[in-house]
Amino acid sequence: GTYSLTISNMCGEESDEIEIITILPPVVDIGPEDVLMCEGDVIVIELDPDQGEYVWQDGSQETFYEITEPGAYHVSVLNECGTDEDDMLVAFIPEPVFDLGPDITVCPLQLPILLDVSESGGTDYLWSDGTTTGFIEISTSGTYSVEVSNECVTLDDEINIVVEDDVPDVILPEDVVLCPGE
């Protein structure tokens, strides 16, 4: 608080005041220790300037900091009563990677065909027939598509599968006997 003192005697009066401020040791928290973010995301960190003087891992001393790239981030805060620090490790969530391949023509004996995107890095799947698993079995001609999603993005692909059921006609001539040299 504010304290004042007045001293007086027969020669006059003199006054002064003083303000006492309590300063606590600094405390800094920039968020969770491990953070996953999508490409293009921005993590905005705003720190209390009254805590003290900040120093980031890159030497900057701002109380407002934006993270746009994966990496290790560290901040220290210092005031008259002490020091505190915090760390954050930021990683990108990768896009799912998958390819149903080129359109194909198959024979009935090659069925069923397994279309599998379960190892793509996706967390959600939606096939053109409404199936929500990471794979489907194909047993008929058609165009099949899938949407693969994770926390960041939804990607899709399609394939056209033709089941060729025509058995070729083979007509050979009657048996023939050949002698050497004929």
Side-chain angles (χ1 to χ4, degrees), residues 37 41-45 56 65-69 73 88 90:
M37 65 187 282
D41 283 355
V42 177
I43 298 172
V44 177
I45 299 172
W56 289 89
Y65 199 84
E66 289 187 351
I67 297 174
T68 59
E69 296 293 324
Y73 294 86
M88 179 184 287
V90 177

Side-chain angles (χ1 to χ4, degrees), residues 8-13:
S8 59
N9 65 19
M10 64 181 147
C11 297
E13 186 175 287

Side-chain angles (χ1 to χ4, degrees), residues 65-128:
Y65 199 84
E66 289 187 351
I67 297 174
T68 59
E69 296 293 324
Y73 294 86
H74 175 84
V75 67
S76 297
V77 60
L78 169 70
N79 70 18
E80 294 87 353
C81 296
T83 302
D84 193 25
E85 53 188 42
D86 198 18
D87 295 297
M88 179 184 287
L89 183 61
V90 177
F92 277 153
I93 298 172
E95 286 188 357
V97 176
F98 66 99
D99 183 7
L100 295 179
D103 296 345
I104 58 172
T105 300
V106 296
C107 298
L109 292 176
Q110 293 174 292
L111 298 175
I113 295 173
L114 180 67
L115 297 179
D116 188 352
V117 295
S118 61
E119 300 294 321
S120 65
T123 55
D124 296 302
Y125 312 97
L126 179 60
W127 293 91
S128 50

Side-chain angles (χ1 to χ4, degrees), residues 24-83:
L24 298 173
V27 176
V28 65
D29 181 10
I30 59 175
E33 192 171 310
D34 296 313
V35 175
L36 294 174
M37 65 187 282
C38 301
E39 180 106 23
D41 283 355
V42 177
I43 298 172
V44 177
I45 299 172
E46 293 184 57
L47 302 171
D48 182 0
D50 295 333
Q51 288 286 320
E53 295 180 21
Y54 293 94
V55 177
W56 289 89
Q57 79 287 337
D58 61 4
S60 65
Q61 297 179 333
E62 304 300 320
T63 58
F64 180 83
Y65 199 84
E66 289 187 351
I67 297 174
T68 59
E69 296 293 324
Y73 294 86
H74 175 84
V75 67
S76 297
V77 60
L78 169 70
N79 70 18
E80 294 87 353
C81 296
T83 302

